[in-house]
Amino acid sequence: MEKSSYSFIQLNTSTYLLEACDSVAIQIRRKSRLVEREGLYTDYVFDEPYSNIQSSTEFIGLNLTYINQLAAVLEGTLRTFICELMQRDSGIIGELSISKKDEKDYGALVRAYSVTKKYREDIEFKGGWDNLKRQYREVLNINLDSVLEKEKVAGINSIFTLRNVAAHGTAIVTPKIKLDDVSEGDYPFKWQSKLQNLSVYIKKEFNLDLLDALQHPSLCFHYTNLVKEFTIALRNETVLPINSNALFNNLKNYSFGYVNNYEFPTQDEK
């Protein structure tokens, strides 16, 4: 096995997507108002109970845009972490195989290197939240559905349900009344099943139906804090590779509705 001689530059798109979240979050903050009460005003409404904050249809597009980006940031951050670890592991195996080129274990090390390198490429190119959760279990023995308590993990998963709808620009259909199993073949029932977990989570957290929650300015604020809590718990004082460390720091230090400062790790890779 010969050592690779090529080099490349890595650009972490999740950092730029998170930076773009600032623009949307600032718009949401500027447009947000408390329910009108005499003598009550605040420049930052998100510390108030949800019921004290006005909803408006002008937040629907902003919420969908922001959550679409937030899901990509979270998935990209976690994917960078596992890819960096796999890249490190494949490099170690590669160097070890070179040093043992004339020994009987050389063939086994070459095969291990090839499998590790291919799996790393699969992780990087096969996107999707469910795929990523499976890869974390297989490679790192980490169950992402157990990082936080069950209800909060349901919230994390619901981000990707909403992202999948927003990313494709499809309509959201919600039945006016809950449909039972006899309506299983009906179009609204299929949407009810698709959005079930998301709707349940939104109802519990906001006491609103999904379409009403999309009009609430605190929706993105809530999900941002949930993602921050999730990534902090996942990190758990682990020493992270250089790019992953910057991405995790950016989420940890993110302040919704403000212009944030970011770490932009770009480095030549060999």
Side-chain angles (χ1 to χ4, degrees):
M1 176 185 295
E2 300 297 330
K3 189 173 182 179
S4 299
S5 59
Y6 63 85
S7 64
F8 60 90
I9 298 174
Q10 177 171 308
L11 183 147
N12 296 101
T13 58
S14 55
T15 304
Y16 293 91
L17 289 171
L18 186 59
E19 184 182 38
C21 283
D22 283 356
S23 299
V24 182
I26 289 171
Q27 286 190 66
I28 292 174
R29 178 184 177 183
R30 288 173 176 170
K31 293 175 181 290
S32 298
R33 298 288 183 272
L34 294 175
V35 174
E36 292 185 9
R37 282 180 288 169
E38 186 176 351
L40 183 62
Y41 173 79
T42 178
D43 179 54
Y44 196 79
V45 304
F46 304 109
D47 295 328
E48 290 283 326
Y50 299 145
S51 58
N52 289 355
I53 305 172
Q54 293 182 15
S55 295
S56 171
T57 55
E58 67 182 331
F59 293 116
I60 295 175
L62 294 173
N63 280 331
L64 290 173
T65 299
Y66 185 95
I67 288 172
N68 193 15
Q69 293 179 176
L70 182 64
V73 169
L74 176 57
E75 185 177 339
T77 297
L78 300 190
R79 197 172 301 282
T80 295
F81 175 43
I82 192 172
C83 283
E84 280 196 286
L85 293 182
M86 292 294 291
Q87 182 178 347
R88 183 197 64 187
D89 290 352
S90 65
I92 291 172
I93 296 172
E95 294 288 345
L96 185 59
S97 66
I98 292 171
S99 69
K100 293 182 176 291
K101 193 168 185 178
D102 298 323
E103 299 183 21
K104 63 179 181 179
D105 295 333
Y106 177 70
L109 289 170
V110 169
R111 289 191 294 273
Y113 172 81
S114 298
V115 170
T116 304
K117 184 173 180 293
K118 183 180 184 304
Y119 199 99
R120 188 248 179 179
E121 291 171 352
D122 286 346
I123 290 173
E124 191 159 8
F125 296 122
K126 290 183 180 178
W129 181 238
D130 288 336
N131 272 337
L132 188 60
K133 290 196 291 184
R134 173 182 56 78
Q135 291 154 356
Y136 261 73
R137 289 193 301 270
E138 292 176 352
V139 177
L140 304 178
N141 196 29
I142 293 175
N143 184 357
L144 293 180
D145 283 335
S146 298
V147 172
L148 297 175
E149 51 265 41
K150 185 177 179 180
E151 291 179 351
K152 291 183 178 180
V153 168
I156 292 292
N157 289 329
S158 72
I159 293 173
F160 292 92
T161 301
L162 192 52
R163 187 275 299 272
N164 289 342
V165 174
H168 298 291
T170 55
I172 298 177
V173 178
T174 58
K176 290 185 177 181
I177 58 173
K178 185 176 180 179
L179 302 177
D180 54 31
D181 291 344
V182 298
S183 305
E184 185 174 354
D186 294 343
Y187 178 67
F189 183 88
K190 294 177 180 178
W191 270 102
Q192 177 179 280
S193 300
K194 181 182 181 71
L195 301 176
Q196 176 70 20
N197 292 335
L198 170 62
S199 298
V200 168
Y201 181 80
I202 290 294
K203 186 69 174 179
K204 180 180 182 301
E205 291 299 321
F206 285 84
N207 195 29
L208 294 171
D209 292 329
L210 175 58
L211 297 186
D212 293 327
L214 284 171
Q215 301 177 45
H216 200 289
S218 292
L219 184 67
C220 295
F221 174 77
H222 171 83
Y223 274 125
T224 300
N225 286 339
L226 186 61
V227 166
K228 290 175 64 173
E229 184 177 355
F230 180 82
T231 51
I232 290 170
L234 178 62
R235 183 174 187 167
N236 194 27
E237 305 303 324
T238 301
V239 177
L240 299 173
I242 181 170
N243 286 291
S244 300
N245 187 62
L247 300 184
F248 274 75
N249 285 343
N250 287 337
L251 280 171
K252 177 184 176 182
N253 299 324
Y254 188 81
S255 295
F256 184 88
Y258 295 92
V259 176
N260 290 271
N261 295 316
Y262 298 97
E263 297 179 41
F264 290 90
T266 56
Q267 60 178 11
D268 291 341
E269 299 286 352
K270 295 187 180 292

